[in-house]
Amino acid sequence: MKKEFTSSESWNNAALAGLVMAAVTIAAELIGGLCGKITGFFGGVANFLAWAGKLVLCAVTFRYLMKRFHDSFNEIDYPRLQHYGMKLALFSSIIVAAYTVVNFMVFTPGSVEEIMGTVKDTYASMLDSNSEAALEKMLPKMPYYTAIGGFIYCFLWGWVYSIVFAKNISPNDPFSEMEETVDNQ
């Protein structure tokens, strides 16, 4: 039996679905991180496959969550489903960004310094003293910059997914209002 659509139901459902989507995204990132530790040609291939697998897994999960929402409620049209997808993307992106900050600051606190050391070593010949000083000032804020970038990245993918999958699951019928008006006359 389908439930009646309400805005609060949409927000509540999007929050729970966002948690599921974020868990899938984080798990895929952790697997990608393990593949990133492989060196050489096979490491590059494994890293690319992990990245592509993450995109596919996230897309399939996002579509499943949107389809589940669509099938659970009455009168879910394209705009409502697309807005639900945006809410789902918002919650998921917030959770992934928060995980990024916690990961850098608690689980792997030395990773930022390691990354910055690699950047300095790689570009040492191109950096002057001012650039090195700027990198040093940026170091404590790097987890936050990474989280903001991750939030934007995840939200943009969610935005694209919500538009594409909403059209696929509940096609937009621009003539539905006209038919109702004609039928009432």
Side-chain angles (χ1 to χ4, degrees):
M1 184 170 153
K2 291 185 172 188
K3 300 183 242 177
E4 289 300 315
F5 176 84
T6 63
S7 180
S8 64
E9 283 286 335
S10 174
W11 280 102
N12 291 339
N13 200 305
L16 288 174
L19 183 62
V20 170
M21 187 71 220
V24 168
T25 304
I26 291 167
E29 287 211 12
L30 291 173
I31 292 169
L34 292 175
C35 291
K37 295 189 184 286
I38 302 171
T39 58
F41 173 75
F42 293 113
V45 171
N47 204 14
F48 173 76
L49 290 176
W51 174 79
K54 175 184 159 191
L55 286 180
V56 170
L57 180 63
C58 288
V60 168
T61 305
F62 201 94
R63 186 183 189 295
Y64 169 77
L65 293 169
M66 286 185 69
K67 178 84 169 122
R68 185 171 171 229
F69 177 78
H70 180 266
D71 294 344
S72 297
F73 292 92
N74 290 324
E75 300 178 17
I76 300 295
D77 54 356
Y78 169 76
R80 284 182 176 171
L81 188 59
Q82 197 269 330
H83 288 136
Y84 170 77
M86 295 296 289
K87 294 171 193 173
L88 170 66
L90 176 68
F91 284 116
S92 175
S93 299
I94 290 170
I95 294 168
V96 170
Y99 167 77
T100 302
V101 171
V102 170
N103 184 37
F104 275 130
M105 299 184 88
V106 176
F107 300 130
T108 57
S111 63
V112 175
E113 288 86 5
E114 184 180 317
I115 292 168
M116 292 303 277
T118 304
V119 169
K120 283 181 185 178
D121 292 343
T122 304
Y123 299 106
S125 63
M126 295 183 227
L127 296 176
D128 60 357
S129 61
N130 291 332
S131 300
E132 286 185 27
L135 281 175
E136 290 297 326
K137 286 182 182 178
M138 192 173 72
L139 183 65
K141 298 175 186 170
M142 193 61 146
Y144 304 112
Y145 294 146
T146 305
I148 291 168
F151 171 81
I152 292 168
Y153 179 79
C154 290
F155 187 74
L156 288 176
W157 273 109
W159 183 30
V160 169
Y161 288 159
S162 67
I163 291 169
V164 170
F165 295 143
K167 283 183 182 178
N168 190 349
I169 296 168
S170 181
N172 192 11
D173 186 7
F175 300 109
S176 64
E177 292 177 9
M178 283 181 70
E179 289 173 8
E180 291 173 8
T181 307
V182 171
D183 288 342
N184 290 337
Q185 291 179 357

